[in-house]
Amino acid sequence: MIDVARRERQRTMQGLAFASPWVIGFLIFTVYPLLASAYYSLTRYDVIRAPKFVGLENYVEIFTADPLFRLTLANTVYFVVIGVPAAFVTAWLIANLLNQEMWGRSVWRTVFFLPAITPIVASVMVWLWIYNTQFGIINGALIARGLPAIPFLSSPKLAKPSIILVQCWASGNSVVIFLASLQDVPRQLYEAATIDGANAWARFWKITIPMCTPQMLFVLLTDLIGTFQSFTLPWLLTEGGPNNATELYSLYLFRNAFVFFKMGYASALAWILFLIIGLVSFAIFRSSARWVFYRGE
């Protein structure tokens, strides 16, 4: 019995030794930053001077005396409510088209996936040229026909939809996930439904969509979390303008942390964003029992 217990302890220690690089990395690069940011959110901290504990003062100021917080949160909610469904539906429709028998299907699949692997700076340079009011391909064609140019990125009303359009264009990752789920639907279900007299629309609505709902849940959650934290695309395209029309929550957080050096305030903003994302994700998970179907059920 003693030898058995000793061998079990040795195996446990060996397992911990093999897992220790990941554990140490997790503690240093995940747990410590989380705890540090939670502490800094309760302080006044500008990197130069030592943090000064102020309790919940940062949170009170955010909710009661910061109009930009409400503006950036509203802009972010707009991107989530409009942008996430738009990108989701676009990727789903493209995946269904690419799942059909057609000439050059593999080529088209590559074409639609390329935006997802193209460096975002390169993509932004292309879209800045497309949206340019004087030399862009769209406005150039309009001006040549005597029509007024469209101020895609310089109009507060059009800036957000213009960025959402770019997000829909770069939804190649979601297209691949949906395409894989479509190809994994058992052919026998379609054959049985066809024999029972179901038309194409009935097969799509009753078989295709339910069988792909687990992947839909995954794409919905990842798109939602990514959009709440969206930074690179709006920063490179508009830097939050015009007139703060595209000043998203993550941009405002970045400015407070690395422009104004209000690290404590930025940490409080980060924790508020974390709680918002957590609550929305929890609500989606709770609702998923009513619309997500797994094969084992």
Side-chain angles (χ1 to χ4, degrees):
M1 293 295 294
I2 296 177
D3 291 340
V4 172
R6 184 180 301 165
R7 283 197 297 269
E8 288 295 329
R9 285 196 300 270
Q10 289 177 348
R11 290 172 181 168
T12 301
M13 296 304 296
Q14 289 173 354
L16 291 174
F18 279 111
S20 61
W22 181 89
V23 173
I24 294 172
F26 177 74
L27 293 174
I28 295 176
F29 298 112
T30 302
V31 175
Y32 171 73
L34 280 172
L35 297 177
S37 67
Y39 168 71
Y40 289 142
S41 71
L42 304 175
T43 66
R44 294 287 184 191
Y45 181 41
D46 60 3
V47 180
I48 300 174
R49 290 178 288 269
K52 180 182 178 182
F53 186 80
V54 294
L56 297 177
E57 185 176 321
N58 287 326
Y59 294 94
V60 173
E61 181 179 349
I62 288 172
F63 285 108
T64 61
D66 189 351
L68 276 179
F69 165 74
R70 292 185 288 273
L71 174 64
T72 56
L73 185 60
N75 287 339
T76 304
V77 170
Y78 179 97
F79 268 78
V80 171
V81 173
I82 304 298
V84 171
F88 184 94
V89 172
T90 300
W92 174 248
L93 293 178
I94 292 174
N96 277 274
L97 290 174
L98 295 177
N99 195 45
Q100 306 299 317
E101 292 292 338
M102 66 175 72
W103 177 86
R105 183 169 62 174
S106 59
V107 176
W108 286 111
R109 289 176 179 177
T110 303
V111 168
F112 280 102
F113 183 66
L114 277 177
I117 60 176
T118 303
I120 191 167
V121 175
S123 300
V124 167
M125 292 300 104
V126 173
W127 280 97
L128 284 174
W129 171 68
I130 293 174
Y131 284 154
N132 189 282
T133 54
Q134 295 180 339
F135 311 108
I137 185 173
I138 298 176
N139 284 319
L142 293 175
I143 293 173
R145 289 164 175 77
L147 299 173
I150 302 174
F152 290 103
L153 299 178
S154 58
S155 168
K157 293 183 179 180
L158 296 178
K160 284 194 285 286
S162 299
I163 296 177
I164 290 174
L165 178 61
V166 180
Q167 290 180 331
C168 294
W169 170 78
S171 58
N173 287 326
S174 300
V175 171
V176 171
I177 294 172
F178 285 145
L179 189 57
S181 67
L182 288 169
Q183 294 180 342
D184 197 40
V185 177
R187 300 296 101 182
Q188 301 91 325
L189 296 178
Y190 292 119
E191 295 170 0
T194 303
I195 293 173
D196 290 340
N199 56 26
W201 173 252
R203 294 195 299 270
F204 178 76
W205 187 255
K206 298 295 185 179
I207 298 175
T208 304
I209 292 180
M211 294 300 294
C212 294
T213 49
Q215 291 78 16
M216 289 180 174
L217 174 63
F218 174 79
V219 171
L220 178 62
L221 282 173
T222 53
D223 282 359
L224 184 143
I225 294 171
T227 304
F228 264 116
Q229 301 177 86
S230 181
F231 175 84
T232 308
L233 195 60
W235 177 262
L236 293 176
L237 283 173
T238 62
E239 294 188 8
N243 195 26
N244 291 326
T246 59
E247 182 75 4
L248 301 187
Y249 197 100
S250 56
L251 273 67
Y252 185 55
L253 193 158
F254 171 82
R255 294 186 198 277
N256 277 281
F258 301 107
V259 177
F260 309 133
F261 292 103
K262 298 167 63 175
M263 290 294 179
Y265 198 80
S267 296
L269 288 170
W271 274 97
I272 292 172
L273 180 61
F274 171 77
L275 292 176
I276 292 173
I277 294 175
L279 289 174
V280 174
S281 300
F282 176 77
I284 293 176
F285 267 116
R286 291 284 293 179
S287 68
S288 65
R290 293 191 292 271
W291 60 273
V292 177
F293 304 95
Y294 297 97
R295 295 190 184 184
E297 295 180 350

